[in-house]
Amino acid sequence: MPDTPLKQAQPLDISPRPSACPGLWRIVAARDGGICRVKLPGGALSAAQAEAVADAAERYAGGVIEATNRANLQIRGIGNEHAALVRYLLDAGLGPREAAGDDVRNLMLSPLAGLDPQRVLDTRPLAAQILALLENTPAFHQLSAKFAVQLDGGEALAMLDHPHDLWLSALTLDGEPWLGFGLASSPAAGPVLGAVRQERGLDLVRAVLEGFLAHARADQSRMRQVLESMPADTFVQSLALDLRRDPAVLGWRRARTPVSWLGRLAQSSGRALGVAPPLGRLTPAMLRGVARIAREWGDGSLRLTPWQSLVLPHLDEAWQPAAVAELAALGLLCADDQPLARLIACTGDSGCAKALADTKADARALAALLGPGAPASVHLSGCPRSCAAAHVAPATLLARAPGRYDLYLRDPHVPGFGLLRGSDLTLKDAGALLALQTEHLDD
């Protein structure tokens, strides 16, 4: 891939504004080197782009690639060649050529958007419009690099628990698709604050973003902060939109269909395959292997998921057993009954100065101790920031020292991680306690 000149005169590792949140244009320092986050459009990635990420991780960094809980990729352990790395990724079509437009590309879709048999509508055309709006509207470049939008098409395979500053969810009213929306919450928790017809979805997003910028003080970077000083109904009424807010809308709740994101996945025509790198961490060989199978036995496309996994859509069913065997040989998880598929862990003290334990290594040790009664999702966090999980997991192990953790179980009546069930536990003690928590099986 040639290193072609870029239009920007500024150094490529300088963002238009400071932030601790990494991006394509902003390499953030960590204990194990720089971090570059590649924000993918709706999680979509071509096989060629996956290979470019693998090449870049080897050429300019230490070969560590992570799948994030917002369906993006990030490269860790980056050395001093920041400009060359960014140029390489830009040449692969992995971000905008204007730095200011990269921060705000925070739009999450279902990993099977447009393909899920349960979908109410195909969200991809509207998603493309929203991304163009965010990238190309200078006023919206003021938004925080963490300001997030979700577009939910009613799919069975959908992350419904991550909180977003704005979310839109498809519903059917009078036999037609509409888009309900909520603020500073998640589709699972609601509430729905109003709805517009499908074709007015872009107008709704524009109005909410403009309203946020109009009402937010300098110290308010997220929607939840604005709503602390302004009731949600007041904010909604300030929008210059014709919203439907009758009981059919305000009383609607997003239905949840339990479905695994690993193994064979249903799509409207054929099958997809879900695979996961253990604890969200990919090697270049893993990513190249997934890309090769997607090209040879699929349609050459991949999709990242908010479960730190990947989906290979349109995979030829006749070749799926061979694909699973090859991917498993690379170290990828292909079924949700594997213990590591139930664990989430942050970078830990090998890469983060704030972490109090080596959470990645501890998670691998804990996997061997988990019994069938343990929660479906256990999160090991090196510090209270909870970087690896965007919502509270059924069980959280919060590090307090190397190899020692406090155990919390999610409880809707208790803020934060939930109810403290054990303090200063060894991994063996934590595994024994987790095995007893049969009432917390569902995530």
Side-chain angles (χ1 to χ4, degrees):
M1 187 179 298
D3 285 343
T4 56
L6 294 179
K7 297 177 181 178
Q8 288 79 5
Q10 66 192 73
L12 292 181
D13 59 338
I14 294 179
S15 171
R17 57 188 173 166
S19 173
C21 187
L24 174 63
W25 285 82
R26 182 177 42 255
I27 313 291
V28 172
R31 177 173 283 177
D32 56 346
I35 305 172
C36 175
R37 182 172 298 158
V38 182
K39 295 183 177 181
L40 304 174
L45 183 73
S46 72
Q49 289 173 328
E51 290 165 343
V53 172
D55 292 344
E58 285 183 333
R59 183 178 299 191
Y60 304 109
V64 175
I65 306 160
E66 292 178 328
T68 78
N69 57 34
R70 297 284 181 183
N72 296 313
L73 286 173
Q74 60 188 28
I75 298 173
R76 297 191 68 94
I78 298 166
N80 296 323
E81 297 183 79
H82 292 186
L85 166 68
V86 175
R87 182 177 290 111
Y88 196 87
L89 296 173
L90 286 172
D91 286 346
L94 287 165
R97 293 266 169 178
E98 296 294 332
D102 181 55
D103 272 347
V104 294
R105 299 170 73 240
N106 301 320
L107 176 64
M108 194 169 78
L109 308 182
S110 161
L112 286 179
L115 304 177
D116 195 302
Q118 189 174 296
R119 70 186 187 277
V120 175
L121 57 87
D122 183 349
T123 57
R124 291 173 296 177
L126 177 55
Q129 294 177 330
I130 294 172
L131 283 171
L133 178 74
L134 291 167
E135 287 182 28
N136 301 320
T137 308
F140 296 155
H141 298 167
Q142 303 172 57
L143 294 169
S144 163
K146 295 182 179 293
F147 195 99
V149 180
Q150 180 176 6
L151 179 55
D152 162 40
E155 299 90 353
L157 186 64
M159 171 54 76
L160 303 177
D161 297 300
H162 282 9
H164 284 77
D165 296 275
L166 165 65
W167 56 264
L168 294 80
S169 193
L171 64 154
T172 302
L173 297 170
D174 304 324
E176 297 181 358
W178 287 62
L179 288 165
F181 75 97
L183 303 172
S185 61
S186 68
V192 183
L193 299 174
V196 296
R197 294 185 183 276
Q198 173 188 348
E199 60 271 17
R200 298 296 306 279
L202 187 64
D203 295 335
L204 171 61
V205 173
R206 181 186 290 108
V208 170
L209 298 184
E210 290 174 345
F212 170 81
L213 292 175
H215 293 295
R217 301 190 309 263
D219 61 339
Q220 295 176 325
S221 62
R222 305 297 299 275
M223 183 65 76
R224 66 175 183 272
Q225 295 167 326
V226 170
L227 298 187
E228 287 171 359
S229 55
M230 170 184 287
D233 280 346
T234 302
F235 180 92
V236 170
Q237 290 166 7
S238 74
L239 303 178
L241 279 178
D242 183 16
L243 296 172
R244 179 167 171 177
R245 304 191 72 208
D246 58 62
V249 171
L250 301 183
W252 180 83
R253 291 295 179 266
R254 172 64 156 91
R256 186 195 297 268
T257 303
V259 61
S260 173
W261 54 89
L262 291 179
R264 297 179 66 193
L265 307 175
Q267 61 178 69
S268 50
S269 176
R271 288 279 180 174
L273 179 66
V275 300
L279 305 175
R281 186 159 283 186
L282 289 150
T283 65
M286 285 178 179
L287 195 52
R288 288 193 187 101
V290 174
R292 180 182 58 78
I293 288 173
R295 181 183 288 112
E296 293 180 3
W297 297 336
D299 67 348
S301 71
L302 300 167
R303 300 191 183 183
L304 272 291
T305 87
W307 298 277
Q308 297 179 284
S309 62
L310 301 95
V311 170
L312 292 79
H314 303 293
L315 198 65
D316 190 322
E317 286 197 69
W319 291 105
Q320 282 209 12
V324 168
E326 290 197 26
L327 293 168
L330 287 170
L332 288 152
L333 308 174
C334 303
D336 58 12
D337 59 356
Q338 296 171 270
L340 275 174
R342 303 157 68 184
L343 293 170
I344 308 165
C346 67
T347 299
D349 61 9
S350 63
C352 177
K354 290 183 170 61
L356 300 178
D358 187 348
T359 52
K360 293 288 190 193
D362 287 347
R364 288 184 176 276
L366 182 64
L369 301 172
L370 289 181
S377 179
V378 181
H379 170 211
L380 284 79
S381 187
C383 78
R385 295 187 305 162
S386 185
C387 295
H391 68 276
V392 178
T396 298
L397 286 168
L398 179 62
R400 59 187 301 163
R404 316 286 299 197
Y405 291 84
D406 292 340
L407 171 62
Y408 295 85
L409 297 182
R410 185 173 60 192
D411 188 315
H413 306 295
V414 180
F417 293 121
L419 185 65
L420 180 65
R421 293 297 297 268
S423 184
D424 197 22
L425 303 172
T426 65
L427 292 175
K428 184 176 179 180
D429 291 338
L433 272 178
L434 285 166
L436 301 176
Q437 308 306 317
T438 55
E439 71 270 26
H440 290 271
L441 287 172
D442 295 326
D443 191 0

